[in-house]
Amino acid sequence: MSVVRSVIRGCGSYLPAGVVSNAELAKRVDTSDEWIVERTGIRQRYLAGDGELTSALALKASQSALAAAGVSPSDLDLIVLATTTPDETFPATATAVQASLGMTRGAAFDVQAVCSGFVYGLGVADALLRTGQGTNALVIGAEVFSRLLDWNDRTTCVLFGDGAGAVVLGTQPGQGTTNDRGILATKLHSDGRLHDALYVDGGPGKTGTTGHVRMQGKEVFKHAVVNMAGVIEEVVALAGLTLQDIDWLVPHQANKRILDSTAKKLGIKPEKVVTTVDQHANTSAASIPLALDVAVKDGRIRPGQLVVMEAMGGGFTWGACLVRW
Ligand code: UT7
């Protein structure tokens, strides 16, 4: 049976210039390189400069993804931008990227699912492309997450960083089998009862301020491993494949221990897991497309391979997307 598939035509990423090591952070906060590395695997993070906005990081990642795909902004029908740190409460930061790219048609909007945002964005864009909304879509994950941090709270401020990544999706006919290139399956979940484990204590409605990240780390850790392992199994089964078929896991990068525990729970070899948390820290919605770009550029992810991207974040939200590259 002939079907329409959304194929990843190219990817790109961008990191701000400011690199901050754990040792530098330890001069500002009561922490140490040893604690951060042992508990999280993080060694450094990139922080956006004053006045450097999510839209600016998103634009640079998008330009690099469009160049890699050989697609021009005028060929785009859709921009879906996953972010928790929009430039303004409204309009959507995606529309700022649309204007900067010189794209004057189609639709652009933001998706808010915190660290799961990029997987949600892929799911939304894939569904819209397959139902005739257009031929080419840009899906971006971009954050200046450092703006949400309480720099007096050592339990959260050492964990996060800023950055952006993007992919260009294009439609292509497939046979409706697992040999097709493109997105083969997506599975999204949320459970709003777990709000208090990870949230921001502000917002336009509640306080009129942006607020700061508050997290019950151990609670999040426990759910992250169970939920991500579960949704990986679900998405692989949905496509009619098995875990043994998977070439690469590209997880949301929150904590090396979460990545290791999830892979171990599923019996997936550690060398199949793309890990960038040591270099980027947790960049929320940007972490998966940043990691993807690293593994594509260094030649690990190759055409024809099966890649699972999965994430979990505040809400809770979680999800996974299975792609044949
Ligand atoms: O993107 C999705 C959302 N985020 C996550 O997935 C994060 C999930 N959670 C985690 O990654 C881990 O729970 C953390 C890295 C946040 C914390 O690791 P942990 O092993 O669960 O440590 P803990 O919270 O139990 O804290 C252990 C100790 C505490 O001291 P006491 O009470 O044992 O004396 C903390 O006060 O470590 C202390 N601590 C720190 N010490 C030095 C907490 N943060 C720091 C710090 N530096 N930055």
Side-chain angles (χ1 to χ4, degrees):
M1 181 188 58
S2 176
V3 297
V4 176
R5 296 286 192 194
S6 308
V7 172
I8 298 184
R9 299 212 183 281
C11 57
S13 63
Y14 180 75
L15 290 158
V19 191
V20 178
S21 68
N22 292 345
E24 285 170 86
L25 215 52
K27 291 180 195 156
R28 294 163 64 173
V29 186
D30 180 17
T31 189
S32 65
D33 176 55
E34 193 187 14
W35 189 94
I36 302 172
V37 171
E38 189 191 314
R39 299 291 178 124
T40 72
I42 296 166
R43 294 184 181 277
Q44 61 171 41
R45 73 282 297 132
Y46 293 80
L47 300 182
D50 289 342
E52 198 172 15
L53 303 181
T54 290
S55 59
L57 305 185
L59 177 65
K60 291 200 165 106
S62 299
Q63 287 165 332
S64 120
L66 287 163
V71 169
S72 99
S74 58
D75 296 327
L76 288 174
D77 304 292
L78 189 65
I79 298 179
V80 181
L81 169 59
T83 189
T84 305
T85 48
D87 295 358
E88 301 165 328
T89 304
F90 85 82
T93 301
T95 58
V97 177
Q98 180 189 30
S100 299
L101 284 173
M103 174 188 163
T104 53
R105 62 183 192 86
F109 60 92
D110 291 358
V111 164
Q112 159 57 301
V114 205
C115 299
S116 312
F118 186 73
V119 173
Y120 268 63
L122 280 178
V124 169
D126 174 44
L128 286 171
L129 289 184
R130 284 190 293 106
T131 49
Q133 185 70 30
T135 308
N136 292 305
L138 184 61
V139 182
I140 312 163
E143 302 277 15
V144 286
F145 211 82
S146 59
R147 309 257 156 86
L148 296 178
L149 299 175
D150 174 353
W151 290 98
N152 294 312
D153 176 9
R154 68 175 184 173
T155 68
T156 52
C157 73
V158 303
L159 304 174
F160 296 91
D162 303 331
V167 299
V168 177
L169 295 181
T171 55
Q172 183 173 297
Q175 298 305 308
T177 72
T178 55
N179 290 326
D180 292 347
R181 281 194 63 214
I183 296 179
L184 300 179
T186 305
K187 188 73 195 164
L188 306 178
H189 291 283
S190 67
D191 186 346
R193 292 172 301 176
L194 297 158
H195 167 276
D196 291 357
L198 179 53
Y199 67 103
V200 163
D201 61 1
K206 275 194 174 169
T207 60
T209 62
T210 307
H212 292 121
V213 174
R214 303 297 172 209
M215 178 166 71
Q216 296 165 22
K218 276 203 189 309
E219 191 65 11
V220 178
F221 191 111
K222 199 175 64 189
H223 281 92
V225 175
V226 172
N227 289 346
M228 286 204 281
V231 79
I232 291 167
E233 286 183 312
E234 272 185 288
V235 81
V236 167
L238 202 57
L241 291 162
T242 68
L243 290 172
Q244 285 68 45
D245 297 318
I246 301 309
D247 295 296
W248 298 104
L249 277 190
V250 185
H252 168 52
Q253 309 281 322
N255 184 325
K256 175 84 165 57
R257 283 156 57 214
I258 295 178
L259 306 193
D260 292 345
S261 303
T262 307
K264 192 171 172 200
K265 195 168 165 62
L266 296 172
I268 292 174
K269 290 192 188 113
E271 54 269 29
K272 288 188 168 189
V273 182
V274 176
T275 305
T276 51
V277 67
D278 55 333
Q279 297 300 304
H280 302 162
N282 181 347
T283 56
S284 185
S287 91
I288 289 179
L290 273 165
L292 195 63
D293 197 36
V294 167
V296 169
K297 298 258 157 68
D298 70 19
R300 272 180 287 175
I301 295 178
R302 295 189 305 277
Q305 291 186 324
L306 283 166
V307 179
V308 175
M309 294 169 262
E310 86 280 2
M312 134 113 192
F316 287 162
T317 54
W318 66 103
C321 181
L322 170 66
V323 181
R324 187 174 290 286
W325 202 257

